[in-house]
Amino acid sequence: MMMKYKLFTGICCRLYSASIVSMNGASHRHFCSSFLTDISSPETTVTVGSQTYARDEMTNVTPHILSKVGSNLHNRKYHPLNLLKQRIRDHFYKNYVKPRGNPIFTVVDDLPPVVTIEQCFDSLLTPKDHVSRKPSDTYYVNKDHVLRTHTSAHQSDLIRMGCDQFLVIGDVYRRDTIDKSHYPVFHQCEGVRLFTERELLISKFSEQDMEGLTVFEQGPRIPAKQAPHTQDAVVLLEADLKWTLTRLAHDIFGKDIETQWVDCYFPFTHPSWELEIKYKGEWLEVLGCGVMEQEILNEAGAGNKVGWAFGLGLERWAMKMYDIPDIRLFWSQDSGFLSQFKVDDANTPIKYKPVSVHPQCYNDISFWIPDNYTENDFYDLVRGLGSDMVEQVELIDNFTHPKKGQTSHCYRITYRHMDRAVHQEEANKIHALITEAAINNLAVEVR
Ligand code: FA5
Ligand code: MG
């Protein structure tokens, strides 16, 4: 018989009400990890975060995929996706401001990933037979709900709420192939910018030159434009969109980045483009974008405005930015990976250095330090004795006794070799040598 699983996750949410997760009768607000529990009841429901949904014939989410929900890598301190999110957010905050200096873009990064079919597909004019709706491509919670396949799922709601410029950052889910640049859970940043006729024209023309120009007309729908838009409107929107994204790419990757625009199709934009960048000698698609379908704006109550939208894949940008060779690394719990991104300033340049494929093992050492002690003396001592076997030494506790005034340090030493496995017994032997040398050479008092 199949095991029944219940997934508990807490998803911190700003626009929706904050979720409260109940475990063993207790309430936990903002409980941010996820785990699976055997509930041994007939498999009639599926629980994602604080919500329980009725299972039906469409349900195809797996415990493995559900275990990723609530990870929120983009909101995890010191994670590369979080550093990139900060860079993108700061770019928009800094460069797009109202006359008094406050940012025009609203940033939303905590919307839960379960959305309705209406949000994910219908509101975006996705045809009923479009491949993205197929259960072969999409994780269905049930026939009415999916794990969002893209952050575009929130466009309509936010516009209806009155947002004219916004970024939505979140985890998205697809039954996609797995290779170096594809993963079934990844993260997107959506961007939307709406303009009234006047706002769009004034961005390029003086008050006099604007006269006689319009953004709306009733013309034919052709490859270059939608029926209700003028050619002028599309030229201005395309220029503004591509300029905005090129400027972002230059800020994140530097001015030397090689880019190219490719025409493409999305049900929710027309015309549409993809941006590709050179990555390890090949073109890599890093975002999709276009002029928003006017029908979407009309339906969301913004029919007097025109707009552009884009959706970029955070992992692909981070791979290029940090030289990360494989998309699976973003899910690594390995301190050899994570410690490379432990910076308080997101602008710190980082180039990822590959860590060993062999497992880590670690031992802690605690001692009272003498007056003339410096941390670097200890690091040198470890380097000398551990050489290639030591991957990292981290001060994990720094404590001063309130009465004695004596200070104790606890270090975690992570043992791992680049080329071969290090077993715990071998690590223990080196650790014993390090302990002995610390006592003899640095005059520390082991606790
Ligand atoms: C979309 O998801 C559209 N919603 C983007 C969009 C938004 C277009 C607004 C127009 C207006 P696409 O499926 O191409 O488009 O995905 C966008 C980006 O997500 C890709 O360019 C890529 O960078 C990234 N991406 C797509 N699939 C994966 C995957 N399996 N793993 C990692 N990144 C992916
Ligand atoms: Mg694409």
Side-chain angles (χ1 to χ4, degrees):
M1 207 186 87
M2 269 185 65
M3 291 279 269
K4 323 287 183 314
Y5 293 96
K6 181 164 175 146
L7 179 86
F8 292 104
T9 53
I11 296 163
C12 312
C13 153
R14 185 143 55 89
L15 285 182
Y16 300 171
S17 61
S19 47
I20 298 174
V21 183
S22 179
M23 289 188 310
N24 305 329
S27 276
H28 298 255
R29 202 170 263 274
H30 296 173
F31 173 79
C32 277
S33 64
S34 60
F35 52 88
L36 298 165
T37 305
D38 177 6
I39 54 168
S40 303
S41 63
E43 225 174 320
T44 54
T45 60
V46 52
T47 301
V48 192
S50 57
Q51 297 288 326
T52 300
Y53 302 86
R55 270 178 190 273
D56 58 30
E57 67 289 353
M58 290 297 279
T59 306
N60 67 353
V61 287
T62 61
H64 173 69
I65 282 296
L66 288 176
S67 75
K68 307 277 187 198
V69 178
S71 302
N72 292 325
L73 299 181
H74 59 293
N75 290 336
R76 194 176 287 179
K77 199 173 181 198
Y78 301 136
H79 193 278
L81 296 179
N82 179 260
L83 297 178
L84 173 59
K85 182 192 85 172
Q86 292 184 49
R87 287 284 299 271
I88 296 174
R89 184 195 60 198
D90 294 348
H91 173 90
F92 279 91
Y93 278 175
K94 192 172 102 214
N95 293 300
Y96 303 91
V97 291
K98 294 178 191 164
R100 285 196 181 167
N102 37 337
I104 66 170
F105 279 86
T106 303
V107 177
V108 183
D109 62 8
D110 50 9
L111 296 177
V114 177
V115 297
T116 61
I117 305 294
E118 161 71 24
Q119 289 173 304
C120 202
F121 304 120
D122 297 339
S123 73
L124 291 161
L125 314 176
T126 305
K128 290 278 184 232
D129 60 353
H130 194 268
V131 50
S132 63
R133 291 188 186 245
K134 297 223 155 72
S136 59
D137 284 53
T138 294
Y139 288 106
Y140 278 80
V141 174
N142 60 24
K143 65 180 172 21
D144 302 316
H145 298 89
V146 292
L147 292 176
R148 66 185 161 215
T149 59
H150 52 179
T151 42
S152 305
H154 302 289
Q155 278 186 10
S156 281
D157 290 345
L158 289 165
I159 294 168
R160 198 169 290 114
M161 288 170 72
C163 295
D164 283 349
Q165 294 94 8
F166 56 85
L167 303 179
V168 181
I169 298 141
D171 39 329
V172 303
Y173 299 78
R174 288 186 197 177
R175 302 190 69 197
D176 221 331
T177 46
I178 301 186
D179 64 23
K180 281 190 173 12
S181 61
H182 289 81
Y183 200 74
V185 190
F186 60 101
H187 297 75
Q188 286 190 333
C189 172
E190 190 84 5
V192 166
R193 182 164 191 184
L194 305 187
F195 303 83
T196 60
E197 177 169 273
R198 192 182 155 72
E199 282 166 348
L200 186 64
L201 294 176
I202 203 87
S203 67
K204 289 284 176 301
F205 298 101
S206 69
E207 211 59 70
Q208 289 122 330
D209 294 342
M210 253 166 67
E211 232 160 86
L213 290 177
T214 56
V215 299
F216 294 116
E217 70 173 12
Q218 241 349 291
R221 183 178 175 101
I222 54 173
K225 68 168 207 76
Q226 299 168 38
H229 293 161
T230 61
Q231 289 276 10
D232 290 335
V234 181
V235 168
L236 291 177
L237 285 168
E238 176 179 351
D240 192 74
L241 170 60
K242 288 185 173 174
W243 181 78
T244 301
L245 291 168
T246 305
R247 193 181 186 195
L248 177 67
H250 284 171
D251 186 359
I252 302 287
F253 301 124
K255 289 240 165 26
D256 293 337
I257 183 82
E258 282 182 81
T259 58
Q260 69 179 20
W261 290 102
V262 181
D263 290 342
C264 75
Y265 161 82
F266 295 105
F268 31 93
T269 49
H270 182 73
S272 307
W273 304 275
E274 280 170 350
L275 179 65
E276 298 184 344
I277 62 170
K278 261 288 171 63
Y279 176 73
K280 298 194 185 298
E282 312 225 337
W283 289 110
L284 176 69
E285 178 206 318
V286 292
L287 66 85
C289 66
V291 176
M292 292 182 75
E293 282 287 351
Q294 199 57 35
E295 194 183 330
I296 297 175
L297 298 183
N298 295 347
E299 287 295 317
N304 61 331
K305 294 174 185 159
V306 290
W308 54 241
F310 69 81
L312 63 82
L314 285 188
E315 278 83 351
R316 302 247 180 116
W317 285 61
M319 283 169 80
K320 174 73 184 177
M321 186 174 160
Y322 298 123
D323 267 351
I324 296 174
D326 193 306
I327 198 163
R328 286 171 303 179
L329 283 165
F330 292 99
W331 293 92
S332 174
Q333 302 286 345
D334 193 304
S335 68
F337 174 79
L338 292 172
S339 65
Q340 297 191 31
F341 300 94
K342 206 164 178 193
V343 292
D344 288 313
D345 178 0
N347 293 307
T348 311
I350 299 171
K351 287 295 170 206
Y352 170 69
K353 288 179 230 53
V355 289
S356 165
V357 294
H358 299 290
Q360 300 172 304
C361 43
Y362 65 82
N363 283 339
D364 295 344
I365 176 170
S366 296
F367 46 70
W368 298 107
I369 59 170
D371 285 343
N372 57 353
Y373 174 86
T374 68
E375 275 172 47
N376 282 338
D377 291 341
F378 181 64
Y379 296 146
D380 276 344
L381 182 149
V382 175
R383 229 173 268 134
L385 288 169
S387 65
D388 287 352
M389 223 92 83
V390 173
E391 182 174 86
Q392 198 190 5
V393 184
E394 202 184 353
L395 178 64
I396 56 171
D397 190 40
N398 186 352
F399 160 78
T400 301
H401 194 281
K403 292 212 180 97
K404 292 192 218 156
Q406 226 182 343
T407 299
S408 122
H409 281 182
C410 177
Y411 295 90
R412 173 156 298 172
I413 306 178
T414 305
Y415 297 91
R416 173 158 64 179
H417 199 282
M418 280 300 286
D419 311 322
R420 64 175 182 83
V422 174
H423 297 288
Q424 189 68 51
E425 304 83 69
E426 194 182 356
N428 292 349
K429 278 188 197 147
I430 303 165
H431 201 73
L433 289 176
I434 290 171
T435 308
E436 198 184 309
I439 297 168
N440 294 336
N441 305 352
L442 303 179
V444 304
E445 189 192 325
V446 171
R447 296 179 67 187

